[in-house]
Amino acid sequence: MKLLAIDAVTEACSVALYHDGALLSRERLVQQQHTEFLLPLVAELLSEGGMAVNQLDAIVFDRGPGSFTGLRVCSGVAQGLALGADLPVIPVSSLATLAQGAYRLDQAEYVLACIDARQHEVYWAAYALSEGLM
């Protein structure tokens, strides 16, 4: 399976390429400059992986919660790339991704995932491990 994943809903602008068990990734911490970095990071990663967009099986994108503008950038880039290459788009939750990472890194079976929502608020969700997934 060959997947390209993109994220632009927090201060991090990141892309990852998964190809049959191998993982390449790039990340930049940027403040409101995701539109400048996201597509160049995608191009760099695909080049390093020796792959073109039309060779992917799907494009995965962070559907939030997160920054409203970041969500629009992330979903717009994912949909644009997918439309041009006739690929499916797979939305994933920011919070579920954080929880799954906590399980993979620390074997956490219960996770309270939080993301800064600004203005003294947070986006949050509670997760419990079930069959290896949060």
Side-chain angles (χ1 to χ4, degrees):
M1 176 155 297
K2 298 174 285 264
L3 301 173
L4 175 69
I6 61 174
D7 179 10
V9 304
T10 64
E11 292 83 16
C13 179
S14 61
V15 296
L17 180 63
Y18 176 84
H19 181 239
D20 296 329
L23 182 65
L24 298 173
S25 64
R26 295 285 181 279
E27 179 179 311
R28 293 247 169 43
L29 294 178
V30 296
Q31 291 288 333
Q32 303 173 350
Q33 296 174 308
H34 296 79
T35 55
E36 295 176 37
F37 290 98
L38 195 55
L39 283 173
L41 286 174
V42 167
E44 178 183 322
L45 200 60
L46 287 172
S47 176
E48 182 180 335
M51 195 169 296
V53 173
N54 62 358
Q55 294 175 299
L56 297 168
D57 294 312
I59 296 178
V60 180
F61 78 98
D62 189 341
R63 66 161 175 81
S67 149
F68 178 71
T69 301
L71 290 168
R72 291 186 327 200
V73 169
C74 196
S75 64
V77 168
Q79 290 175 352
L81 291 171
L83 181 64
D86 194 29
L87 296 172
V89 174
I90 303 169
V92 297
S93 163
S94 308
L95 298 171
T97 301
L98 286 173
Q100 191 68 35
Y103 168 66
R104 288 191 182 198
L105 293 174
D106 299 321
Q107 290 71 50
E109 295 186 18
Y110 300 95
V111 175
L112 178 62
C114 301
I115 296 175
D116 184 6
R118 300 189 180 130
Q119 299 181 4
H120 306 291
E121 296 185 2
V122 295
Y123 302 114
W124 68 273
Y127 294 90
L129 183 67
S130 175
E131 297 180 23
L133 296 173
M134 288 287 182

